[in-house]
Amino acid sequence: MKLKFCLCIMCITLCLIFISQVYAATATPSLVTKINSAFTKIKSYLIKISTPIAGVCIISGILVRKLSFGDERKMIMGKRIITNTIIGYASIQLIDVIIKFIEAVVK
């Protein structure tokens, strides 16, 4: 539950970064430039933080599966943790690639 919440917050933040960069491409007042640079810094921190978080989540999912001792519910929960982590991490990396692509097309 906490993992999904964190991933949702990261995705919303990255969507805001995307919107600000598209807006900044059309008009560049000083306020938009400052906001764009702030969102760029936030994006870089999120990318740097997402890798260790994903690693910890995958390890915890593996531990849940290994320590389930044959309990089917815990096996499924460990598999869901691993799957959701991979999907979340891939989506964060994909959003970064999409933003870089749009920046290259706009410039």
Side-chain angles (χ1 to χ4, degrees):
M1 186 70 173
K2 291 179 184 178
L3 175 66
K4 288 182 181 180
F5 178 74
C6 290
L7 290 176
C8 287
I9 295 297
M10 286 183 189
C11 288
I12 289 171
T13 305
L14 289 175
C15 288
L16 289 174
I17 292 168
F18 172 73
I19 291 169
S20 71
Q21 290 180 350
V22 169
Y23 179 72
T26 59
T28 55
S30 63
L31 179 63
V32 172
T33 307
K34 289 179 183 178
I35 291 173
N36 190 24
S37 66
F39 277 135
T40 304
K41 287 180 183 178
I42 292 171
K43 180 187 77 165
S44 69
Y45 291 137
L46 286 177
I47 298 290
K48 290 176 185 176
I49 289 174
S50 67
T51 304
I53 289 175
V56 168
C57 291
I58 288 174
I59 290 171
S60 67
I62 291 170
L63 285 175
V64 167
R65 284 186 63 115
K66 292 292 182 184
L67 298 176
S68 66
F69 301 112
D71 186 11
E72 191 67 31
R73 289 187 307 163
K74 289 184 181 180
M75 293 283 284
I76 292 172
M77 185 173 72
K79 185 177 178 181
R80 283 184 184 166
I81 290 172
I82 294 169
T83 305
N84 289 337
T85 301
I86 292 171
I87 291 171
Y89 184 70
S91 65
I92 289 172
Q93 296 299 323
L94 185 65
I95 288 173
D96 185 45
V97 170
I98 291 171
I99 289 173
K100 287 180 182 178
F101 175 73
I102 291 173
E103 286 176 348
V105 169
V106 170
K107 290 181 181 181

